[in-house]
Amino acid sequence: MRILIVNPNTTASMTSKAATAARAVAEPHTEILARTSKSGPVSIEGHYDGAIALPGLLAEIRDGEAAGADAAVIACFDDTGLEAARALARMPVVGLCESAVATAAMVAQRFTVVTTLERSRVLIENLTRHYGMAGRAKVRAADIPVLELEDKSSNALAKLRSEIELALHQDGAEAIVLGCAGMADLARMLQADYGVPVIDGVSAAVKQAEALVSQGLSTSKRGSYAAPLSKSYSGLVSALALPPG
Amino acid sequence: MRILIVNPNTTASMTSKAATAARAVAEPHTEILARTSKSGPVSIEGHYDGAIALPGLLAEIRDGEAAGADAAVIACFDDTGLEAARALARMPVVGLCESAVATAAMVAQRFTVVTTLERSRVLIENLTRHYGMAGRAKVRAADIPVLELEDKSSNALAKLRSEIELALHQDGAEAIVLGCAGMADLARMLQADYGVPVIDGVSAAVKQAEALVSQGLSTSKRGSYAAPLSKSYSGLVSALALPPG
Amino acid sequence: MRILIVNPNTTASMTSKAATAARAVAEPHTEILARTSKSGPVSIEGHYDGAIALPGLLAEIRDGEAAGADAAVIACFDDTGLEAARALARMPVVGLCESAVATAAMVAQRFTVVTTLERSRVLIENLTRHYGMAGRAKVRAADIPVLELEDKSSNALAKLRSEIELALHQDGAEAIVLGCAGMADLARMLQADYGVPVIDGVSAAVKQAEALVSQGLSTSKRGSYAAPLSKSYSGLVSALALPPG
Amino acid sequence: MRILIVNPNTTASMTSKAATAARAVAEPHTEILARTSKSGPVSIEGHYDGAIALPGLLAEIRDGEAAGADAAVIACFDDTGLEAARALARMPVVGLCESAVATAAMVAQRFTVVTTLERSRVLIENLTRHYGMAGRAKVRAADIPVLELEDKSSNALAKLRSEIELALHQDGAEAIVLGCAGMADLARMLQADYGVPVIDGVSAAVKQAEALVSQGLSTSKRGSYAAPLSKSYSGLVSALALPPG
Amino acid sequence: MRILIVNPNTTASMTSKAATAARAVAEPHTEILARTSKSGPVSIEGHYDGAIALPGLLAEIRDGEAAGADAAVIACFDDTGLEAARALARMPVVGLCESAVATAAMVAQRFTVVTTLERSRVLIENLTRHYGMAGRAKVRAADIPVLELEDKSSNALAKLRSEIELALHQDGAEAIVLGCAGMADLARMLQADYGVPVIDGVSAAVKQAEALVSQGLSTSKRGSYAAPLSKSYSGLVSALALPPG
Amino acid sequence: MRILIVNPNTTASMTSKAATAARAVAEPHTEILARTSKSGPVSIEGHYDGAIALPGLLAEIRDGEAAGADAAVIACFDDTGLEAARALARMPVVGLCESAVATAAMVAQRFTVVTTLERSRVLIENLTRHYGMAGRAKVRAADIPVLELEDKSSNALAKLRSEIELALHQDGAEAIVLGCAGMADLARMLQADYGVPVIDGVSAAVKQAEALVSQGLSTSKRGSYAAPLSKSYSGLVSALALPPG
């Protein structure tokens, strides 16, 4: 089984971290194919970055499927482009936020997502509502720029811990969801420290992707995710030659 | 006052139709600036087209604001790119679906949106939920490809009428919302024929844009719509040089 | 275009303040017709006052429409009598709370309504839910009796500022809605001071009324707002001779 | 114990029917005090009638409490004036719709309310949502003017039966709620005929009123239902001298 | 009328306390039949205890109905087994949480449930949501083991008072619901002390049971609560010989 | 990895079918341990059967964990006992309905669950709401007694097909969820026939269980699922000696 991990920002060290997290939970027979977007911002922080990342992301989805991927993971906690990628692909495509909250809901009744910046807090709160978790999930921002997570000397971890502690003591959180792909390497340590489940979105999504493939499920092509209609494209995006055929 | 109408698909005749609808309801002192996206699909039908249209759309938002627009309307009923455009701009930006359902809710307690293709039905249903209208709005698809609305010889109008009649008799609709920018020219005729309010999204959005400007309101830059952080962009989208500064 | 502003309490200075706010945002060709109810309480604070104000309010709606109004605004943030007025009138009728939250939702994803007394807080919270804003709007009471807003020597403004600051820092509010018609004169100053959109209900409602008229929309007479059936009325309200014909 | 039944329309035969239904379920020691409003419409059909009935209704609530009532029932299925009456009174006040849906929810998981006219259908649907029954209750209108229920020769009963049968077979209703005070005499017969619980709002409300009094509960005066503030009233409603000193 | 009170835990002193509370509010002609489960835990604290108590509880429901009960109350605030008991019985069966929140909602718009242990807090929060009170009810845990309520020398009352005070001052509670059957003896005292309605679930449920019987209502046997199908049972539960017939 | 499948009814052929479905999707290194409850009904159809099955189910959970299981699946689509099992166990425990709807939501935006009997329809509808899928999932009953699924000569399959076709054509379903563990053998065939994803709950749950174990997640013991407190048990359930310790 080949699982494609697409990092929709252009920072290769984040792709690498996601791939490592993915391989740590993947089955022995699963091959992790990690791709970094070739077009877009160096990090995704808020609605604008998420939008501008889409053509690059969709090109990797298309190319990855053509190269034989059986399922794809979009490695950004904002689940940017998830609906469009499902329309484009036949293979299953899963998002980090979607996978992480579905996972958290199986080990806890109430949980808190801790994300990076305030500008992403409401965005993720809206996502958790869309996924049906309005009454179960709270969202907190730890005031950490995404790329600060790549810098070991930053105090990002201290900020993250501080917000996790507030979640446990003020929100009544029974589990914690790490709300950024760049936090994938921290889940096990934090889980050990706090004694509650700590869910990393990359790991959760890889397992969901494997689960869908194992069950022989692919994205429904009836209704919302019907394949894009054949039509003309102009300008920059025409260079992407999307969709195929 | 200058209101920018951005057509996020590349079909100029739809831009022209939207501009005509906009001018029909705009105040005498409002100038309507209509722009057609230079990069993207000829029509937006479903999640994929909506995503691929974003860079072109956002470039027009940026350029339009730089050229002095006081507010912008994204002339696609899917409200594609609305959140990203608000993050990019300081001026108010409004969507067609958002404006149309807010408008319908002031003249009716229950209403039905009639859109084009089945692939857009759930997308718009999700939007109406996001806008808080889950219990008030139903959505129907009339099985009309968007560009068929540009072809006078098609039976698009007959299909649309048929679905409106089902809305009135089966849904208990008290008003009808036309769920595609390409239907902007039909609202008044259908309202006269059926004797219930028929709302066109372009008209509704232009009035909301004017209303926001008149009240001295601009997009909040606190939280969700904070201005994009300055960062590097690679690949195709770097050619757009977005965001400015 | 003639927009009727009905103040459903009997305090003329509040009518005057609302009319001033209305004229400040109205189009040059819009005539603002302000009427003060002749029957009811001097201020509306809670459910009881809102109910007892209805006959006087409805008489002004009827008389205002007969006198040629094209749309009406009920100038009380509780939206008292809004549904009844819509059933009575053919012209569009809009409420302050309804208009203000629809407006706030176009410039911010999360916002807080600051109203006067605790007894109105849950009432307005229920309204915002009814308008579909349950997940987006918080409501706070600043402990200000309505008529204190008419007294420049009171510390009403200080209380209001204090609650706005809590909204910004504790609620994560991206915009503020002023939850009383009597605060209409304060919006621009507070917006300048706090750097976030501050929405006044009277201004918002006038623009919605103009928007509906410009679009050729009137209240649906199909279903919820069908015209009152002709029937006998006894006692006090029979003196009102409502509804006409 | 003395339970006040206020009929907020001015038709004495409906008061009498409600009083009969009330006495049929009341405890032996409960005295039913039935009052007909002296000011308002002969029947309440839709938002306008409900609003215009309020001063007359509130006067009876006040006078009934002064005369020693321990609790009150507002005998109209629209629960018109319920919040205002609670603010005015210290005694508990209950509504028919509120009581009937709470009762139905204890004998069935899904039920349908059958009301009179289409104009009341959405009004009652909104009420059931406000009472938290959005997912459990459906509402149907049987196209019966209220006063037709007073006319034995009408085909009102046939229309009602037809709608109940649709509720059972199309809605999956497990119980039926009769959505008009004027149907109070029909519940037992229909229950026998259809073999499912059939709930009459008057009966349900009387039992809720007794229940509250037996438990020593009265309307909370903290927050939403705080007693009306002392203030001046002008015009017609000033003749009502409400609220008491 | 005979009302069966089933205590689903095996602690007789709690049965006795519930029976006393029941008799204090029951009508003179109502006979209270109190039964203690013969199989299960000494107290119900959380999901596991609630599940393990079911066979014992259901046996008492069956035997109580066979012995002539007209309605039953399950005397545990978790409403454990409520749906199963309704399927088993023809008589009405009511729960404490269900009855208490329906009662609170008639005297207050916002209220707080104060329960015993943190492990029950989310369980009751989920119940209040299921009963449609998501927006009206908050839930707090006072950190009191259930059996501590039976011990007069404990500081359970002080903990309870402390949480009630937080509910009034932080939640804006207009009424308090006592969230454990073992608090039934405290309601009147606390109501007197705090001046807001304080609702005890046992009292509320007894009145709902009486109300249903007085109205001639029994559990719907159409759909969700259809009688158990006749089938074989093995193992321990076969000793219960459930269901009859 | 050892995954425990507990069939909470006492019909061994259903356990066997579930184990076969489980092994078909499990990873090569996953051992499926299937256990049939020793105490309870031969099939679970509705609330009563679900309740009476709990002690037998919980005994198998306890014994299975003691025997080294790493995670458990409760093989009944009603998710009976899921919360209690999570409180009892440290290992993750997953339900069929919960897993199936989370899975369906990753390949489709709208889907329909087809279950067996009408008495289970609302039960599952309530479950899907509890899991946050109120707006995405419909539920239909095919009028098939559970054990009829074990009888190849029955017309169960024809009834199931008929309901799937209604789901596709009337509900706009984009995927189908089979709403009974006894349908596990039919998913692949139906998926091939209808060309939309068809999800079997047993398969979905096994993959979720594996996913949780691979991620090193176990049930949170903070809050809702805290381990049962040590206390006395009487009567039948005391023979189960639950919980351990």
Side-chain angles (χ1 to χ4, degrees):
Chain A
M1 191 188 308
R2 282 184 280 193
I3 305 288
L4 171 69
I5 313 281
V6 178
N7 176 9
N9 73 40
T10 59
T11 300
S13 64
M14 289 187 69
T15 314
S16 171
K17 188 192 289 185
T20 300
R23 289 188 185 107
V25 298
E27 296 301 322
H29 60 84
T30 298
E31 184 184 355
I32 300 295
L33 309 169
R35 286 169 173 262
T36 307
S37 175
K38 299 177 193 71
S39 170
V42 288
S43 61
I44 296 182
E45 295 168 311
H47 292 287
Y48 176 78
D49 289 346
I52 215 73
L54 291 180
L57 163 62
L58 292 168
E60 299 303 327
I61 292 285
R62 176 202 55 186
D63 293 349
E65 187 167 36
D70 295 299
V73 169
I74 298 176
C76 172
F77 203 84
D78 296 357
D79 288 357
T80 190
L82 181 56
E83 307 296 17
R86 282 179 177 154
L88 179 61
R90 283 218 152 252
M91 64 181 169
V93 184
V94 298
L96 265 54
C97 178
E98 175 189 52
S99 297
V101 299
T103 298
M106 291 185 190
V107 293
Q109 292 207 31
R110 296 290 181 273
F111 53 92
T112 293
V113 180
V114 184
T115 189
T116 52
L117 296 180
E118 176 66 13
R119 66 182 59 210
S120 298
R121 190 178 55 80
V122 170
L123 188 161
I124 291 175
E125 193 172 292
N126 286 351
L127 275 183
T128 63
R129 288 185 186 178
H130 179 62
Y131 296 141
M133 297 288 162
R136 300 178 71 174
K138 288 201 163 67
V139 186
R140 290 176 170 273
D143 191 24
I144 307 170
V146 169
L147 293 182
E148 203 173 285
L149 290 163
E150 303 303 284
D151 171 7
K152 294 294 179 194
S153 68
S154 79
N155 65 344
L157 183 58
K159 289 180 188 172
L160 184 58
R161 283 185 182 280
S162 165
E163 214 63 30
I164 289 172
E165 287 158 24
L166 290 170
L168 294 174
H169 298 117
Q170 293 186 2
D171 304 349
E174 301 170 2
I176 299 293
V177 173
L178 300 180
C180 177
M183 299 172 181
D185 52 340
L186 305 172
R188 296 243 169 171
M189 175 185 65
L190 293 167
Q191 178 167 295
D193 289 355
Y194 291 106
V196 296
V198 176
I199 292 102
D200 157 50
V202 175
S203 308
V206 166
K207 298 311 291 184
Q208 295 300 327
E210 286 183 337
L212 292 167
V213 176
S214 291
Q215 292 173 78
L217 295 169
S218 54
T219 303
S220 178
K221 290 289 139 183
R222 188 175 198 279
S224 306
Y225 301 134
L229 295 167
S230 181
K231 62 183 62 166
S232 301
Y233 295 85
S234 309
L236 279 176
V237 299
S238 67
L240 297 171
L242 283 162
Chain B
M1 192 188 308
R2 282 183 282 192
I3 305 288
L4 171 68
I5 312 282
V6 180
N7 176 9
N9 72 41
T10 59
T11 300
S13 64
M14 288 188 69
T15 314
S16 170
K17 190 193 287 184
T20 301
R23 289 187 185 108
V25 297
E27 296 301 322
H29 60 85
T30 299
E31 183 182 356
I32 299 296
L33 310 169
R35 286 169 174 263
T36 306
S37 175
K38 298 177 194 69
S39 169
V42 289
S43 60
I44 296 182
E45 295 167 313
H47 293 287
Y48 176 77
D49 291 345
I52 215 72
L54 290 181
L57 163 63
L58 292 167
E60 299 304 326
I61 292 285
R62 178 202 54 185
D63 294 349
E65 186 167 37
D70 294 299
V73 168
I74 298 177
C76 171
F77 203 84
D78 295 357
D79 288 356
T80 189
L82 181 57
E83 306 296 17
R86 282 180 177 154
L88 180 61
R90 282 218 154 252
M91 64 180 169
V93 185
V94 298
L96 265 55
C97 179
E98 176 189 51
S99 298
V101 299
T103 299
M106 292 185 190
V107 293
Q109 292 207 32
R110 297 290 182 272
F111 53 92
T112 293
V113 180
V114 184
T115 189
T116 53
L117 294 181
E118 176 65 14
R119 67 181 58 209
S120 298
R121 189 178 54 79
V122 170
L123 188 162
I124 292 175
E125 193 172 293
N126 285 352
L127 274 183
T128 62
R129 288 184 186 179
H130 179 62
Y131 296 141
M133 299 287 161
R136 300 178 69 174
K138 289 202 163 66
V139 186
R140 290 175 169 274
D143 191 24
I144 307 171
V146 168
L147 293 182
E148 202 173 286
L149 289 163
E150 304 302 285
D151 172 7
K152 296 293 180 196
S153 68
S154 79
N155 65 343
L157 182 59
K159 289 179 187 172
L160 184 57
R161 283 184 180 280
S162 164
E163 215 62 30
I164 289 172
E165 286 158 24
L166 289 170
L168 295 174
H169 298 116
Q170 294 186 1
D171 304 348
E174 300 169 3
I176 299 294
V177 173
L178 300 181
C180 177
M183 299 171 180
D185 51 340
L186 305 171
R188 297 243 168 167
M189 175 184 67
L190 293 166
Q191 178 167 293
D193 289 356
Y194 291 107
V196 295
V198 176
I199 291 103
D200 157 50
V202 176
S203 308
V206 166
K207 299 311 291 183
Q208 294 300 326
E210 287 183 336
L212 292 167
V213 176
S214 291
Q215 291 173 80
L217 296 168
S218 54
T219 304
S220 178
K221 289 291 137 182
R222 187 174 198 279
S224 306
Y225 301 133
L229 295 167
S230 181
K231 63 182 62 168
S232 301
Y233 295 85
S234 309
L236 277 177
V237 299
S238 66
L240 296 172
L242 282 162
Chain C
M1 192 188 307
R2 281 183 282 193
I3 304 287
L4 172 67
I5 312 282
V6 180
N7 176 8
N9 72 40
T10 58
T11 299
S13 64
M14 288 186 68
T15 314
S16 170
K17 189 191 290 183
T20 301
R23 288 186 185 110
V25 297
E27 296 300 323
H29 60 84
T30 298
E31 183 182 356
I32 299 296
L33 309 169
R35 286 170 174 261
T36 307
S37 174
K38 299 177 192 72
S39 170
V42 289
S43 61
I44 295 182
E45 295 168 313
H47 292 288
Y48 175 77
D49 291 345
I52 214 73
L54 291 180
L57 163 63
L58 293 167
E60 299 305 326
I61 292 285
R62 177 204 53 186
D63 293 349
E65 185 167 36
D70 293 300
V73 169
I74 297 177
C76 172
F77 203 84
D78 297 357
D79 288 358
T80 189
L82 181 57
E83 305 296 17
R86 281 178 177 155
L88 180 61
R90 282 220 153 252
M91 63 181 169
V93 184
V94 298
L96 264 56
C97 179
E98 176 189 51
S99 298
V101 300
T103 299
M106 291 183 191
V107 292
Q109 291 206 33
R110 297 289 183 270
F111 53 92
T112 293
V113 180
V114 184
T115 188
T116 53
L117 296 180
E118 176 66 13
R119 67 183 57 210
S120 298
R121 189 178 55 81
V122 171
L123 189 161
I124 291 174
E125 193 172 294
N126 285 352
L127 275 183
T128 60
R129 287 184 186 180
H130 179 62
Y131 296 139
M133 298 288 161
R136 299 177 71 174
K138 288 202 164 65
V139 187
R140 290 176 170 273
D143 191 26
I144 308 170
V146 169
L147 294 182
E148 203 172 283
L149 289 163
E150 304 302 285
D151 173 8
K152 295 293 180 195
S153 68
S154 78
N155 65 344
L157 182 58
K159 289 180 187 172
L160 184 57
R161 283 184 182 281
S162 164
E163 214 62 32
I164 288 172
E165 287 158 24
L166 289 170
L168 294 174
H169 299 117
Q170 293 187 2
D171 304 348
E174 300 170 2
I176 299 293
V177 173
L178 300 180
C180 178
M183 298 171 181
D185 51 339
L186 306 171
R188 296 243 169 169
M189 175 185 64
L190 293 166
Q191 179 167 294
D193 289 357
Y194 291 107
V196 294
V198 176
I199 292 104
D200 157 50
V202 175
S203 308
V206 166
K207 298 311 292 185
Q208 294 300 327
E210 285 183 338
L212 293 167
V213 176
S214 292
Q215 291 172 80
L217 295 168
S218 54
T219 304
S220 177
K221 291 291 137 181
R222 188 174 198 279
S224 305
Y225 301 134
L229 296 167
S230 181
K231 62 182 63 167
S232 302
Y233 294 86
S234 308
L236 279 177
V237 299
S238 67
L240 297 172
L242 284 161
Chain D
M1 193 190 303
R2 282 183 281 193
I3 305 288
L4 172 68
I5 313 282
V6 179
N7 176 7
N9 73 40
T10 59
T11 299
S13 64
M14 288 187 69
T15 314
S16 170
K17 189 192 287 184
T20 300
R23 289 185 184 109
V25 298
E27 296 301 322
H29 60 85
T30 298
E31 185 183 354
I32 299 296
L33 308 169
R35 286 170 174 262
T36 307
S37 174
K38 297 177 193 70
S39 172
V42 289
S43 60
I44 295 181
E45 295 167 313
H47 292 288
Y48 175 78
D49 291 347
I52 215 71
L54 290 181
L57 163 63
L58 292 168
E60 299 303 326
I61 292 284
R62 177 202 54 184
D63 294 349
E65 186 166 38
D70 295 299
V73 169
I74 298 176
C76 173
F77 203 85
D78 296 357
D79 289 357
T80 189
L82 181 57
E83 306 297 16
R86 282 180 177 154
L88 180 61
R90 282 219 153 251
M91 64 181 170
V93 184
V94 297
L96 263 55
C97 179
E98 176 189 52
S99 298
V101 299
T103 298
M106 292 184 190
V107 293
Q109 291 207 34
R110 295 289 182 273
F111 52 91
T112 293
V113 180
V114 184
T115 189
T116 52
L117 295 180
E118 177 65 13
R119 66 181 58 207
S120 298
R121 189 178 55 80
V122 171
L123 188 162
I124 292 174
E125 194 172 294
N126 285 352
L127 274 182
T128 62
R129 287 184 186 180
H130 179 62
Y131 296 140
M133 299 288 162
R136 300 178 69 175
K138 287 203 163 67
V139 186
R140 289 176 170 273
D143 191 23
I144 307 171
V146 169
L147 294 181
E148 203 174 285
L149 289 163
E150 303 302 285
D151 172 6
K152 295 294 179 194
S153 67
S154 79
N155 65 343
L157 182 58
K159 289 180 188 170
L160 184 58
R161 282 184 182 283
S162 163
E163 214 63 30
I164 289 172
E165 287 158 22
L166 289 170
L168 295 174
H169 299 116
Q170 293 187 1
D171 304 349
E174 300 170 2
I176 298 293
V177 173
L178 300 180
C180 177
M183 298 171 180
D185 52 340
L186 305 172
R188 296 243 169 169
M189 176 184 66
L190 293 167
Q191 178 167 293
D193 290 356
Y194 291 106
V196 295
V198 176
I199 291 103
D200 158 50
V202 176
S203 308
V206 166
K207 299 311 293 183
Q208 294 301 326
E210 285 183 338
L212 293 168
V213 175
S214 291
Q215 291 173 80
L217 296 169
S218 54
T219 304
S220 178
K221 290 290 136 182
R222 189 175 198 279
S224 305
Y225 301 135
L229 295 167
S230 182
K231 63 182 62 164
S232 301
Y233 295 86
S234 309
L236 278 178
V237 298
S238 67
L240 297 172
L242 282 161
Chain E
M1 192 189 305
R2 281 183 284 193
I3 305 288
L4 172 67
I5 312 283
V6 180
N7 176 8
N9 73 39
T10 59
T11 298
S13 64
M14 287 188 69
T15 315
S16 171
K17 188 192 288 184
T20 300
R23 288 187 186 108
V25 298
E27 296 301 323
H29 60 84
T30 298
E31 185 181 355
I32 298 296
L33 309 169
R35 286 169 174 264
T36 307
S37 174
K38 298 178 194 70
S39 170
V42 288
S43 61
I44 296 181
E45 296 168 312
H47 292 288
Y48 175 77
D49 291 346
I52 214 74
L54 290 181
L57 163 63
L58 292 168
E60 299 303 326
I61 292 284
R62 177 203 53 185
D63 294 349
E65 185 166 38
D70 295 300
V73 169
I74 297 176
C76 172
F77 203 84
D78 296 358
D79 289 357
T80 189
L82 181 56
E83 306 297 16
R86 282 180 177 154
L88 180 61
R90 282 220 153 251
M91 63 181 171
V93 184
V94 297
L96 264 55
C97 179
E98 176 190 51
S99 297
V101 300
T103 298
M106 291 184 191
V107 293
Q109 291 207 33
R110 296 290 182 271
F111 53 92
T112 293
V113 180
V114 184
T115 189
T116 52
L117 295 180
E118 176 66 12
R119 66 183 56 209
S120 299
R121 189 178 56 79
V122 170
L123 188 162
I124 292 174
E125 193 171 295
N126 285 352
L127 274 183
T128 62
R129 287 183 187 181
H130 179 62
Y131 297 140
M133 298 288 161
R136 299 178 70 175
K138 289 202 162 67
V139 187
R140 290 176 169 274
D143 191 24
I144 307 171
V146 169
L147 293 182
E148 203 174 285
L149 290 163
E150 304 302 285
D151 172 6
K152 295 293 179 196
S153 68
S154 79
N155 64 345
L157 183 57
K159 289 180 188 170
L160 185 57
R161 282 184 182 282
S162 164
E163 215 62 31
I164 289 173
E165 287 158 23
L166 289 170
L168 295 174
H169 299 117
Q170 293 187 1
D171 304 349
E174 301 170 1
I176 298 293
V177 173
L178 300 180
C180 177
M183 299 171 181
D185 51 340
L186 304 172
R188 296 244 170 170
M189 177 185 64
L190 293 167
Q191 179 167 295
D193 289 356
Y194 291 106
V196 295
V198 176
I199 291 104
D200 157 51
V202 176
S203 308
V206 166
K207 298 312 292 183
Q208 294 301 325
E210 285 184 339
L212 293 167
V213 176
S214 291
Q215 291 173 80
L217 296 169
S218 53
T219 304
S220 178
K221 289 292 136 181
R222 188 173 199 280
S224 305
Y225 301 135
L229 295 167
S230 182
K231 64 182 61 166
S232 301
Y233 295 86
S234 309
L236 278 176
V237 299
S238 68
L240 297 172
L242 283 161
Chain F
M1 193 187 308
R2 280 183 283 193
I3 305 287
L4 171 68
I5 312 282
V6 180
N7 175 9
N9 74 41
T10 59
T11 299
S13 65
M14 287 186 70
T15 314
S16 170
K17 188 191 289 183
T20 301
R23 288 186 185 108
V25 297
E27 297 301 323
H29 60 83
T30 298
E31 183 182 355
I32 299 295
L33 309 169
R35 286 170 174 263
T36 307
S37 174
K38 299 177 192 70
S39 171
V42 289
S43 61
I44 295 182
E45 295 168 314
H47 292 288
Y48 176 78
D49 290 347
I52 215 72
L54 291 180
L57 163 63
L58 293 168
E60 299 304 327
I61 292 285
R62 177 203 52 185
D63 294 349
E65 186 166 37
D70 295 300
V73 169
I74 298 177
C76 172
F77 204 83
D78 296 358
D79 288 357
T80 190
L82 180 57
E83 306 295 17
R86 282 178 177 155
L88 181 61
R90 281 220 154 253
M91 64 181 169
V93 185
V94 298
L96 265 56
C97 179
E98 177 188 50
S99 299
V101 300
T103 299
M106 291 184 191
V107 292
Q109 291 207 32
R110 297 288 182 273
F111 52 92
T112 294
V113 180
V114 184
T115 189
T116 53
L117 295 181
E118 175 66 13
R119 66 182 57 209
S120 298
R121 189 177 55 80
V122 170
L123 189 163
I124 291 173
E125 193 173 294
N126 286 351
L127 274 182
T128 60
R129 287 183 186 180
H130 179 62
Y131 297 139
M133 299 288 162
R136 299 178 69 174
K138 288 202 163 68
V139 187
R140 290 176 169 274
D143 191 26
I144 307 170
V146 169
L147 294 181
E148 203 172 284
L149 290 163
E150 304 302 284
D151 172 7
K152 295 293 181 196
S153 69
S154 79
N155 64 344
L157 183 58
K159 288 180 188 171
L160 184 57
R161 283 183 180 282
S162 163
E163 214 63 30
I164 289 171
E165 288 158 23
L166 289 170
L168 295 174
H169 299 117
Q170 292 186 2
D171 304 348
E174 300 171 2
I176 299 293
V177 173
L178 300 180
C180 178
M183 298 171 180
D185 51 340
L186 305 172
R188 296 244 169 169
M189 176 185 65
L190 293 167
Q191 178 166 296
D193 289 356
Y194 291 107
V196 295
V198 176
I199 292 104
D200 157 51
V202 175
S203 309
V206 166
K207 298 312 292 183
Q208 294 300 326
E210 286 183 338
L212 293 167
V213 175
S214 293
Q215 292 173 80
L217 296 169
S218 54
T219 304
S220 177
K221 290 290 138 183
R222 188 174 198 278
S224 305
Y225 302 134
L229 296 167
S230 182
K231 62 183 64 167
S232 301
Y233 294 86
S234 308
L236 280 177
V237 298
S238 67
L240 297 172
L242 282 161

